[in-house]
Amino acid sequence: QVQLQESGPGLVKPSETLSLTCAVSGYSISSGYYWGWIRQPPGKGLEWIGSIYHSGSTYYNPSLKSRVTISVDTSKNQFSLKLSSVTAADTAVYYCARGAMVRGVKRDYFDYWGQGTLVTVSS
Amino acid sequence: AIRMTQSPSSFSASTGDRVTITCRASQGISSYLAWYQQKPGKAPKLLIYAASTLQSGVPSRFSGSGSGTDFTLTISCLQSEDFATYYCQQYYSYPTFGPGTKVDIK
């Protein structure tokens, strides 16, 4: 069974960089699939941040692209998110998730999710 | 960005009801649509992909239909565990989600 677990600081100061890691178990990232980050501000809807392939190929939400970096560490079977210059608007529950593949073709819906981690941006 | 809208935003229903939620895309997305269920404090759970394909393990009372710009999620006989918020998501372009439809107990 594929499992994902987010970790990282729960409090980040404005203008600093938010950093989160997603540890994957039950599946080797090196074997394929895309791996993504999605966030949800308290009481609001879902926003896709970006995704990465095991090769390191990335694609990001255009609205966040200038501030986002997603990387992968296949040796640790994990991938990471960095979001720079954060403001209160970046306060959200951050989820990591696996992007689906159908007959070897990437499909950007998400079939396995982590439990989520709340990150608050505040001084 | 492809904008997704959902209706209604919330409604009350009773166990046993047949309920339908509508999702509309701002442009045609073929059948590149997924539906998720989210309960408070939990991660979203994939219910349906490709507009009408049931994810493994999801009860058959859930069904999806539509293509192009208009889609529906139907729960044929609402169960107590189905009270939740439902989101649609398109993946024709970079992923975007609808604002959600909350189903609560009448």
Side-chain angles (χ1 to χ4, degrees), chain B residues 2 8 32 57 80 87 104:
Chain B
I2 297 176
Y32 294 105
S80 58
Y87 293 93
D104 60 24

Side-chain angles (χ1 to χ4, degrees), chain A residues 38 40 44-48 51 59-63 95 102 107-116, chain B residues 32 34 36 38 41-46 48-50 55 87 89-91 93-99:
Chain A
I38 300 102
Q40 184 172 37
K44 297 188 178 180
L46 298 157
E47 179 180 39
W48 172 74
S51 296
Y59 55 113
Y60 301 130
N61 187 322
S63 69
Y95 295 100
V102 177
R107 293 286 182 247
D108 285 322
Y109 59 90
F110 302 96
D111 54 5
Y112 289 94
W113 293 65
Q115 65 185 24
Chain B
Y32 294 105
Y36 300 87
Q38 187 179 35
K42 300 295 186 181
K45 173 187 174 183
L46 177 66
I48 287 169
Y49 61 93
Q55 172 70 350
Y87 293 93
Q89 179 229 319
Q90 66 79 22
Y91 51 99
S93 176
Y94 74 85
T96 53
F97 293 84

Side-chain angles (χ1 to χ4, degrees), chain B residues 43-63:
Chain B
K45 173 187 174 183
L46 177 66
L47 298 176
I48 287 169
Y49 61 93
S52 61
T53 303
L54 206 62
Q55 172 70 350
S56 176
V58 174
S60 59
R61 63 180 179 272
F62 291 91
S63 63

Side-chain angles (χ1 to χ4, degrees), chain A residues 45-69:
Chain A
L46 298 157
E47 179 180 39
W48 172 74
I49 299 170
S51 296
I52 189 165
Y53 194 50
H54 68 86
S55 62
S57 172
T58 55
Y59 55 113
Y60 301 130
N61 187 322
S63 69
L64 297 168
K65 186 176 182 178
S66 64
R67 298 195 291 130
V68 174
T69 302

Side-chain angles (χ1 to χ4, degrees), chain A residues 3-4 7 10 21 25 29 31 44 46 48 55 61 64-65 72 75 80 84 86 93 95 97 103 106 117:
Chain A
Q3 293 185 310
L4 299 93
S7 62
T21 296
S25 59
I29 288 181
S31 297
K44 297 188 178 180
L46 298 157
W48 172 74
S55 62
N61 187 322
L64 297 168
K65 186 176 182 178
V72 64
S75 67
S80 299
S84 64
V86 297
V93 175
Y95 295 100
R103 292 184 289 277
K106 174 178 70 71
T117 188

Side-chain angles (χ1 to χ4, degrees), chain B residues 14-79:
Chain B
S14 300
T15 303
D17 285 352
R18 179 182 180 89
V19 303
T20 298
I21 298 168
T22 297
C23 175
R24 177 165 290 173
S26 61
Q27 66 184 75
I29 58 170
S30 184
S31 296
Y32 294 105
L33 186 99
W35 289 97
Y36 300 87
Q37 176 194 68
Q38 187 179 35
K39 297 181 179 179
K42 300 295 186 181
K45 173 187 174 183
L46 177 66
L47 298 176
I48 287 169
Y49 61 93
S52 61
T53 303
L54 206 62
Q55 172 70 350
S56 176
V58 174
S60 59
R61 63 180 179 272
F62 291 91
S63 63
S65 65
S67 67
T69 59
D70 295 316
F71 302 85
T72 59
L73 172 70
T74 299
I75 310 172
S76 61
C77 183
L78 199 66
Q79 301 299 299

